[in-house]
Amino acid sequence: MTLWQYPALGGIEYVRIFSTRNALWHTLYLFVYLVTVIIHHLLSGTAVAYSMFTGEAQLYTYMVLISEVTTPEIHLRWYLDTAGMKRSTAYLINGVVIFIGWLIARVLLFGYMFYHVYLHYDQVIKMHAFGFVLVFGVPSALGILNLMWFGKIIKGLAKTLAKRRSRTKELDSEN
């Protein structure tokens, strides 16, 4: 869908890291972005299918899937941005909700999941080899991505709050 509707559904904002005047960088970055998105979804789909068909690692699959609870807030953020509402209270509240939701569903829950795997390693080791790789591989890859994005969320929220504070100080000094 992202490739088919590019850039209408988003995508160009990820490419703007490099100058859009340089077509080679633009194309290369877009290719890498799309490949990682495809790999992410293939890994996730494979893990869910494996869990369904074998009955193994269902708890870990559900723990990882709970992280999708943050998706509506991410989509709302894009809509607010597209609608030109970056300075609105709704945008700020959405940012705080994303921060809290991401912290709980994608950082703390993943940490607990890895701790649970550690506690029950004697059972995890008895899984099929493919399932064992999925239990360690998929959450590890997603956990790294979640931490990277969480860093960006923290920076973005701090930037938004700083702008809001400076605007409030300007208004107070005018009055």
Side-chain angles (χ1 to χ4, degrees):
M1 190 79 150
T2 302
L3 180 59
W4 182 26
Q5 295 292 327
Y6 177 82
L9 291 179
I12 195 70
E13 61 272 16
Y14 302 114
V15 178
R16 285 192 183 143
I17 290 172
F18 302 108
S19 171
T20 53
R21 287 182 232 139
N22 189 332
L24 176 63
W25 278 116
H26 179 87
T27 306
L28 180 63
Y29 192 81
L30 178 62
F31 175 76
V32 170
Y33 168 73
L34 292 173
V35 167
T36 57
V37 166
I38 290 167
I39 289 171
H40 158 78
H41 286 96
L42 284 175
L43 280 174
S44 298
T46 301
V48 169
Y50 177 84
S51 177
M52 277 182 6
F53 293 126
T54 65
E56 292 183 345
Q58 291 177 346
L59 176 65
Y60 302 130
T61 302
Y62 294 141
M63 285 179 159
V64 171
L65 285 175
I66 287 172
S67 68
E68 292 300 322
V69 75
T70 59
T71 302
E73 292 81 18
I74 299 299
H75 288 203
L76 178 59
R77 189 148 192 94
W78 182 79
Y79 286 119
L80 291 169
D81 184 21
T82 304
M85 298 177 65
K86 267 190 153 180
R87 293 184 172 201
S88 70
T89 304
Y91 193 81
L92 177 65
I93 291 169
N94 178 262
V96 171
V97 170
I98 288 172
F99 170 77
I100 293 168
W102 204 279
L103 175 65
I104 293 168
R106 292 188 182 236
V107 176
L108 297 177
L109 183 63
F110 269 67
Y112 175 73
M113 193 210 70
F114 288 120
Y115 177 68
H116 194 278
V117 169
Y118 171 75
L119 287 178
H120 300 280
Y121 185 75
D122 58 323
Q123 295 172 22
V124 173
I125 197 80
K126 294 176 184 175
M127 293 174 51
H128 294 98
F130 187 65
F132 183 82
V133 169
L134 286 175
V135 164
F136 283 96
V138 173
S140 296
L142 294 176
I144 290 167
L145 288 173
N146 287 339
L147 289 174
M148 288 171 46
W149 280 104
F150 191 59
K152 291 178 182 264
I153 290 167
I154 291 171
K155 286 179 186 175
L157 185 59
K159 183 178 171 184
T160 301
L161 289 173
K163 283 182 182 177
R164 201 147 177 103
R165 269 191 230 117
S166 67
R167 265 189 264 126
T168 305
K169 286 181 183 177
E170 287 174 16
L171 290 174
D172 287 345
S173 64
E174 288 176 6
N175 293 333

